[in-house]
Amino acid sequence: MTQSVHRSAGVTVRAAAKINLHLGVGAPRADGFHPLATVFQAVGLCDDVTVSADEPWEIQVSTPSWMPDGAVPTDASNLVARAADLLSRHHDVPLGGRVAIDKAIPVAGGLAGGSANGAAALVALDRAFDLATSDDDLLALAAELGSDVPFALVGGTALGRGRGELLDHVADGGTWWWVMVPSAEGLSTPDVYRHHDRLRPDAPVEPEVPHALLEALAAGEPLALARHLHNDLEAAAVDLRPELGELIARGESEGALRGMVSGSGPTVVFLAESADHARDLAGALMRGGHDVVLVANGAVAGAHVVTSYA
Ligand code: ATP
């Protein structure tokens, strides 16, 4: 049976990019997924998703000039379309509307931009159609949508287990400044995992929780955090794209506390000591020939409404 729903005309929801302060990857499970022990942090580089409920169904994407055109699909494969489909089936109501995605998060960059859009779409559609989905149900739908989508909903800093969808809050005592350098061309996450499996046939069944990193986070101490940042996928990403290793070395020689590949890459993130340090480092990298260098701090909130109009 199809119910009728009240709709409010427009809602804009903002959702942030994530970086993995730690990404421990185990041997692939029988279902093909890799068990993870990861520490996510949401950083202030955000996409906005606006649902206009009274318009016909359509996905529009706008991107900054430095992003390649056409990188984000506007068909049923877009995560916002899949989010709409899941939510519609969950409530047994038809959901329509124009969905405008305003992108700032690099596509296929290891920053979970698609997941941020999926999380934002779940919240925006829920509010625009007054569905009152419970938080638990939203989290379950998010986990169905993708491993990184639950974190995009909750934001902050969190420990992720399972495929990354099982989240625990962690103490975070700092304001962390990041300088991010995207690549002109994305890296396929499955390709990086496959390469990692080839490089690490000895990966553990269950990766370990990074206790020393969690202590550094709680203490809010940048030098300690820098020492404990770790990404198991970095070797695979750098092997596929050797220039990422050169970029990490360049950023560290310019004074970054530490550089690392974000998630499956190819975005490289550098930890800075302060806002001023981040700005100086970004300037040095730009003078060194990197046209697009982004600065953001963390942790920031998960998917949240920024505008709502009737
Ligand atoms: P992940 O590590 O979760 O794969 P990522 O940051 O490396 O994330 P995304 O920006 O999420 O990569 O994009 C991965 C692929 O997902 C893109 O190549 C694109 O084809 C597809 N995609 C589907 N929906 C979206 C969306 N709304 N925004 C960006 N990419 C999307």
Side-chain angles (χ1 to χ4, degrees):
M1 189 188 72
T2 299
Q3 301 161 4
S4 67
V5 286
H6 170 261
R7 46 172 65 175
S8 109
V11 178
T12 297
V13 173
R14 181 162 294 167
K18 62 83 188 159
I19 56 185
N20 302 84
L21 309 182
H22 176 93
L23 181 52
V25 179
R29 311 188 304 206
D31 64 3
F33 283 106
H34 292 76
L36 303 181
T38 187
V39 179
F40 294 111
Q41 183 167 91
V43 297
L45 172 65
C46 298
D47 287 353
D48 284 354
V49 171
T50 299
V51 171
S52 306
D54 293 331
E55 306 286 333
W57 174 256
E58 184 189 5
I59 296 175
Q60 297 176 338
V61 180
S62 57
T63 50
S65 56
W66 52 266
M67 269 186 209
D69 284 337
V72 179
T74 53
D75 61 11
S77 69
N78 192 302
L79 278 167
V80 306
R82 295 187 40 223
D85 188 45
L86 276 177
L87 202 57
S88 162
R89 281 192 280 126
H90 179 74
H91 290 283
D92 196 18
V93 293
L95 297 176
R98 189 180 64 229
V99 183
I101 307 173
D102 198 354
K103 292 218 61 95
I105 305 173
V107 179
L111 297 167
S115 301
N117 298 166
L122 284 175
V123 176
L125 289 162
D126 176 72
R127 302 301 187 269
F129 287 87
D130 217 1
L131 298 172
T133 316
S134 70
D135 287 353
D136 283 351
D137 285 354
L138 272 180
L139 275 170
L141 292 169
E144 232 179 291
L145 202 50
S147 304
D148 291 341
V149 184
F151 177 71
L153 269 185
V154 302
T157 305
L159 175 67
R161 306 298 305 268
R163 345 174 232 112
E165 85 285 20
L166 306 173
L167 297 172
D168 281 308
H169 171 79
V170 300
D172 183 348
T175 299
W176 311 97
W177 284 93
W178 300 98
V179 175
M180 298 180 274
V181 185
S183 288
E185 206 186 325
L187 258 179
S188 148
T189 303
D191 286 355
V192 176
Y193 271 97
R194 266 193 294 275
H195 197 51
H196 168 77
D197 292 339
R198 282 193 288 270
L199 294 179
R200 290 286 312 277
D202 56 339
V205 175
E206 276 301 329
E208 283 178 24
V209 171
H211 294 289
L213 176 112
L214 295 177
E215 278 166 29
L217 256 178
E221 175 38 62
L223 285 170
L225 189 76
R227 260 198 310 282
H228 295 295
L229 293 172
H230 175 78
N231 179 0
D232 271 350
L233 293 181
E234 182 166 293
V238 170
D239 210 40
L240 293 169
R241 291 274 176 86
E243 64 270 25
L244 300 182
E246 290 156 25
L247 172 55
I248 291 170
R250 193 170 319 131
E252 290 182 346
S253 75
E254 293 287 359
L257 300 182
R258 183 77 190 280
M260 73 188 305
V261 169
S262 174
S264 56
T267 305
V268 169
V269 297
F270 295 101
L271 181 62
E273 219 164 341
S274 63
D276 283 345
H277 183 210
R279 197 192 52 217
D280 290 349
L281 178 60
L285 288 165
M286 290 182 88
R287 284 191 298 279
H290 293 279
D291 294 338
V292 185
V293 180
L294 309 165
V295 174
N297 69 4
V300 301
H304 58 281
V305 174
V306 287
T307 320
S308 179
Y309 55 93

